[in-house]
Amino acid sequence: ELKVEQNPLFLSMQEGKNYTIYCNYSTTSDRLYWYRQDPGKSLESLFVLLSNGAVKQEGRLMASLDTKARLSTLHITAAVHDLSATYFCAVGSGGSNYKLTFGKGTLLTVNP
Amino acid sequence: DAGITQSPRYKITETGRQVTLMCHQTWSHSYMFWYRQDLGHGLRLIYYSAAADITDKGEVPDGYVVSRSKTENFPLTLESATRSQTSVYFCASSGTGVEQYFGPGTRLTVT
């Protein structure tokens, strides 16, 4: 059974600081997703990582994937208040990797 | 409007009643999914469908039934609702199975 662990689950940080969210998973997969969810809203796709060593960046967020270590990171650079949200990683499994198993999410609060 | 929609957006029902949550997408995506989101659990896959008339169980299928007679629709039925099925339900669709696009969600309360 695929297990996906995110840490930390709660993150409070100051504007301008850097931090990293970690996503570990238990079985082989080369498909890793990061989503953002604002309170009461749906999920917004941030990144899809499809191969070992994949790195993607959008604004102040950068995601990477190490399939050998079964680890993905979401790095936040110079945080701003607008980044406050819950961030989920999800790992693809099944024959075509389209069955997603989600981590429990990281609630990020960026304080002025 | 094009996209993925869910109805109703909010539903309150009583224990033991049957309730159906609707999901409709206008992209003609082959893949469709139902998830539930509960505090402390993230999202968990209930059922998925790779094409019309093809469905399969996900992580937490007990108590739920799905059908997919048309590509664009993927209804989720709770045959006899229980309080443990109080949750937010998200439908998603995907054309290739890679990128999943999520609907706005249905907040279901079972009293």
Side-chain angles (χ1 to χ4, degrees):
Chain A
E1 180 186 348
L2 175 59
K3 300 283 188 185
V4 180
E5 290 190 0
Q6 277 183 246
N7 67 83
L9 297 182
F10 301 93
L11 177 55
S12 180
M13 55 191 299
Q14 286 185 315
E15 282 190 330
K17 299 294 186 181
N18 304 332
Y19 210 84
T20 300
I21 300 171
Y22 297 88
C23 177
N24 291 90
Y25 54 98
S26 61
T27 63
T28 301
S29 175
D30 57 2
R31 190 170 294 187
L32 194 293
Y33 301 77
W34 285 97
Y35 289 92
R36 169 182 171 143
Q37 186 180 39
D38 293 303
K41 302 294 186 182
S42 186
L43 278 75
E44 173 191 355
S45 178
L46 294 175
F47 302 108
V48 181
L49 305 171
L50 300 178
S51 62
N52 185 42
V55 177
K56 291 194 175 181
Q57 183 165 5
E58 180 73 33
R60 301 175 187 275
L61 301 178
M62 182 174 70
S64 65
L65 177 61
D66 182 342
T67 59
K68 295 179 180 178
R70 299 176 185 167
L71 170 68
S72 179
T73 60
L74 180 66
H75 186 73
I76 303 156
T77 302
V80 292
H81 179 70
D82 285 352
L83 290 179
S84 297
T86 299
Y87 293 85
F88 292 95
C89 67
V91 179
S93 65
S96 300
N97 278 331
Y98 53 76
K99 290 173 59 176
L100 298 189
T101 300
F102 281 77
K104 292 184 178 182
T106 297
L107 176 59
L108 171 66
T109 303
V110 181
N111 303 303
Chain B
D1 290 343
I4 183 166
T5 56
Q6 293 183 235
S7 61
R9 294 292 315 279
Y10 302 90
K11 176 74 176 179
I12 300 174
T13 192
E14 295 178 342
T15 300
R17 290 194 179 265
Q18 182 181 82
V19 60
T20 296
L21 309 184
M22 302 301 295
C23 179
H24 176 76
Q25 50 99 1
T26 60
W27 294 307
S28 298
H29 282 172
S30 296
Y31 300 91
M32 295 188 75
F33 308 84
W34 274 107
Y35 296 89
R36 60 179 288 174
Q37 183 176 27
D38 304 290
L39 200 62
H41 287 280
L43 277 80
R44 292 179 290 176
L45 181 64
I46 306 171
Y47 269 96
Y48 62 99
S49 169
D53 297 323
I54 300 175
T55 62
D56 206 348
K57 296 178 179 180
E59 183 183 352
V60 289
D62 293 344
Y64 303 95
V65 175
V66 293
S67 62
R68 194 161 175 214
S69 58
K70 293 183 178 181
T71 299
E72 61 267 28
N73 297 324
F74 191 36
L76 176 73
T77 298
L78 289 66
E79 292 191 302
S80 179
T82 65
R83 289 185 179 177
S84 65
Q85 292 177 309
T86 292
S87 188
V88 180
Y89 291 85
F90 287 100
C91 177
S93 72
S94 176
T96 62
V98 176
E99 185 98 47
Q100 291 189 22
Y101 299 90
F102 284 78
T106 294
R107 185 173 294 274
L108 176 67
T109 301
V110 183
T111 63

